[in-house]
């Protein structure tokens, strides 16, 4: 009986599971729980999807693309009313101008000037177009310009004729020939000692290779101006005239020429004669045919009548330039002398038979003698 009771008591005891050693270890390492904190909801780990570089680039979209997709009719942001946006005109295409003696280049120049400056259109309609169809060797042209400086037409022609005869003809007016002429020989034909030094300086620069006819023809305008003004006795005005009427350069603006400045004043109805420093800006629209536009400025002044300070007269077939000495002589006589239409002071093929009388105003008061 006692054994049965003991067995029954053993049956009544609850069975206890065997302790797990790993669970005991985790319980020991776990931090103590604060009963005041609320239980945290465990988060599921995020799934990471590996993409190839191409696919990844395709999936990424710029915010501008997304915005455009959501609102296809979106408009650009409006500019504030009080904000001033400066106007930026489109740059005009550059025109590559050729020599004015090239076929059809004068017609191209006139079309350009009509479009660029409507005020020139009436002048172009009234006057026949200029023609630049003659060419003389640069050395001969520069020598001639030096000889005629500050001389009356008759005196200059007489001296030039004797100079050419002393050289053996125009074809023989070469650097070596000029250097062989002593100042005494040149003085015998009327060439002053100062002009003799100018001629020798020009010839010496040719002989040393600093200048040559071929290099002068091939040089750009800026380089040519720099090189020629290095010659004693040749200034900016002489270089500009040489470039226009001897080399037929299309884009030369003689800013020191009183006739061109007076023409610009008349054309734009300016109160005062523009200064040489203002001419570049006023005539910028004429590029790249400022030589032709300058020619029309001379014609405009001629049409308005020549003032008493007229310093040069142009004949029918060539441009002749009278310099300050002749101007002073003419002012005393009050009768301008019209130059020979064939043999001019600077008969360098300057103009053609289309020209009538063209006045170039060269004043001692407005242009320093060093500029010649």
């Amino acid at each position: 009986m006692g054994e049965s009771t003991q067995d029954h008591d053993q049956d009544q005891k609850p069975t206890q599971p065997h302790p797990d050693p790993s669970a005991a270890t985790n319980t020991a390492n776990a931090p103590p729980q604060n009963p005041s904190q609320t239980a945290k909801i465990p988060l599921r780990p995020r799934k990471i999807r590996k993409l190839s570089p191409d696919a990844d680039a395709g999936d990424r979209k710029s915010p501008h693309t997304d915005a455009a997709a959501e609102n296809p009719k979106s408009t650009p942001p409006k500019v504030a009313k009080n904000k001033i946006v400066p106007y930026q005109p489109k740059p005009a295409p550059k025109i590559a101008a050729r020599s004015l003696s090239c076929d059809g280049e004068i017609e191209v120049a006139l079309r350009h000037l009509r479009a660029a400056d409507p005020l020139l259109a009436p002048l172009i309609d009234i006057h026949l177009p200029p023609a630049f169809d003659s060419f003389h060797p640069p050395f001969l042209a520069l020598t001639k310009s030096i000889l005629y400086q500050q001389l009356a037409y008759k005196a200059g022609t007489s001296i030039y004729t004797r100079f050419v005869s002393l050289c053996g003809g125009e074809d023989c007016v070469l650097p070596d020939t000029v250097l062989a002429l002593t100042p005494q020989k040149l003085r015998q034909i009327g060439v002053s000692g100062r002009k003799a030094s100018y001629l020798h300086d020009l010839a010496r620069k040719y002989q040393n290779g600093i200048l040559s006819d071929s290099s002068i023809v091939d040089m750009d305008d800026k380089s040519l101006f720099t090189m020629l003004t290095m010659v004693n006795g040749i200034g900016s005005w002489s270089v500009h005239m040489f470039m226009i009427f001897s080399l037929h350069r299309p884009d030369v603006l003689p800013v020191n020429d009183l006739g061109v400045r007076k023409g610009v004043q008349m054309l734009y109805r300016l109160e005062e004669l523009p200064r040489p420093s203002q001419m570049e800006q006023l005539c910028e629209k004429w590029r790249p045919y400022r030589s032709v536009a300058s020619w029309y400025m001379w014609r405009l002044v001629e049409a308005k009548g020549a003032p008493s300070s007229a310093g040069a007269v142009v004949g029918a077939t060539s441009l002749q330039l009278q310099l300050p000495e002749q101007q002073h002589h003419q002012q005393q006589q009050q009768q301008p002398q019209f130059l020979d239409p064939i043999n001019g002071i600077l008969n360098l093929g300057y103009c053609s038979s289309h020209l009538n009388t063209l006045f170039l105003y060269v004043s001692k008061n407005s242009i320093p003698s060093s500029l010649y």
Side-chain angles (χ1 to χ4, degrees):
M1 175 93 183
E3 294 179 357
S4 61
T5 303
Q6 186 177 1
D7 295 335
H8 179 71
D9 293 336
Q10 293 176 353
D11 295 335
Q12 293 297 327
K13 291 179 180 180
T15 60
Q16 296 180 356
H18 298 285
D20 188 359
S22 62
T25 305
N26 295 335
T27 303
N29 296 334
Q33 295 183 355
N34 188 0
S36 64
Q37 293 180 354
T38 58
K40 294 183 179 180
I41 301 175
L43 300 177
R44 291 187 301 173
R46 297 178 62 182
K47 294 182 179 180
I48 300 174
R49 183 176 57 177
K50 294 183 179 181
L51 300 175
S52 63
D54 295 337
D56 188 26
D59 291 341
R60 288 198 299 266
K61 296 182 180 179
S62 64
H64 301 286
T65 307
D66 295 339
E70 293 176 2
N71 188 11
K73 295 183 179 180
S74 61
T75 57
K78 295 183 179 179
V79 181
K81 293 183 179 180
N82 58 351
K83 185 177 181 180
I84 300 175
V85 180
Y87 172 70
Q88 296 180 352
K90 296 181 179 179
K94 292 184 178 180
I95 302 175
R98 302 178 299 167
S99 171
L100 295 176
S101 57
C102 294
D103 293 338
E105 193 64 17
I106 293 296
E107 288 75 12
V108 175
L110 297 183
R111 285 197 299 268
H112 170 77
L113 292 175
R114 285 178 183 273
D117 192 350
L119 293 178
L120 287 177
L123 290 174
I124 296 174
D125 294 335
I126 293 173
H127 302 287
L128 292 172
F132 301 84
D133 50 12
S134 300
F135 178 81
H136 288 253
F139 183 78
L140 174 63
L142 293 171
T143 301
K144 202 168 189 179
S145 68
I146 292 175
L147 288 173
Y148 275 94
Q149 286 179 6
Q150 300 183 358
L151 290 179
Y153 167 67
K154 289 184 178 180
T157 302
S158 176
I159 293 175
Y160 177 74
T161 302
R162 284 179 285 185
F163 173 79
V164 170
S165 176
L166 191 62
C167 292
E170 284 190 337
D171 294 338
C172 297
V173 179
L174 302 172
D176 293 338
T177 307
V178 173
L179 285 174
L181 300 176
T182 63
Q184 291 75 16
K185 289 183 179 180
L186 292 173
R187 191 175 293 111
Q188 290 175 0
I189 62 173
V191 179
S192 66
R194 184 174 60 176
K195 286 188 179 180
S197 67
Y198 295 164
L199 293 173
H200 287 166
D201 186 61
L202 174 65
R204 197 174 295 110
K205 283 181 170 56
Y206 263 78
Q207 192 179 58
N208 295 338
I210 298 175
L211 292 174
S212 66
D213 284 354
S214 59
S215 66
I216 286 177
V217 172
D218 295 336
M219 270 189 233
D220 61 89
D221 293 349
K222 186 176 181 180
S223 301
L224 181 59
F225 183 88
T226 302
M227 296 301 294
L228 289 183
T229 51
M230 291 172 59
V231 180
N232 295 334
I234 296 180
S236 61
W237 185 84
S238 296
V239 175
H240 287 152
M241 296 300 106
F242 170 74
M243 292 169 66
I244 295 174
F245 297 113
S246 184
L247 300 183
H248 309 153
R249 296 290 176 94
D251 194 33
V252 179
L253 180 65
V255 295
N256 289 315
D257 186 89
L258 188 58
V260 177
R261 293 166 59 196
K262 186 67 177 177
V264 171
Q265 181 187 15
M266 292 180 178
L267 183 69
Y268 298 122
R269 298 181 180 180
L270 303 177
E271 294 182 359
E272 297 180 355
L273 188 70
R275 296 187 298 272
S277 59
Q278 297 173 320
M279 290 291 290
E280 290 283 349
Q281 183 178 0
L282 290 171
C283 305
E284 179 66 25
K285 63 180 70 174
W286 296 346
R287 288 182 182 271
Y289 293 105
R290 293 181 297 176
S291 299
V292 180
S294 299
W295 187 89
Y296 280 100
M297 292 301 97
W298 288 318
R299 300 310 299 262
L300 174 61
V301 174
E302 175 199 2
K304 296 296 183 180
S308 59
S309 61
V313 185
V314 176
T317 59
S318 61
L319 181 66
Q320 291 87 27
L321 304 179
Q322 292 173 314
L323 295 173
E325 292 295 334
Q326 182 174 1
Q327 171 192 328
H328 178 69
H329 179 69
Q330 288 181 353
Q331 288 178 349
Q332 291 178 344
Q333 293 184 347
Q334 296 296 324
Q335 293 181 353
Q337 178 183 1
F338 288 85
L339 305 186
D340 191 310
I342 297 177
N343 298 315
I345 289 181
L346 293 182
N347 185 11
L348 310 177
Y350 280 2
C351 297
S352 71
S353 59
H354 295 307
L355 286 174
N356 293 320
T357 305
L358 174 61
F359 293 90
L360 297 180
Y361 304 99
V362 184
S363 174
K364 227 180 222 181
N365 297 326
S366 61
I367 304 178
S369 60
S370 61
L371 295 178
Y372 298 114

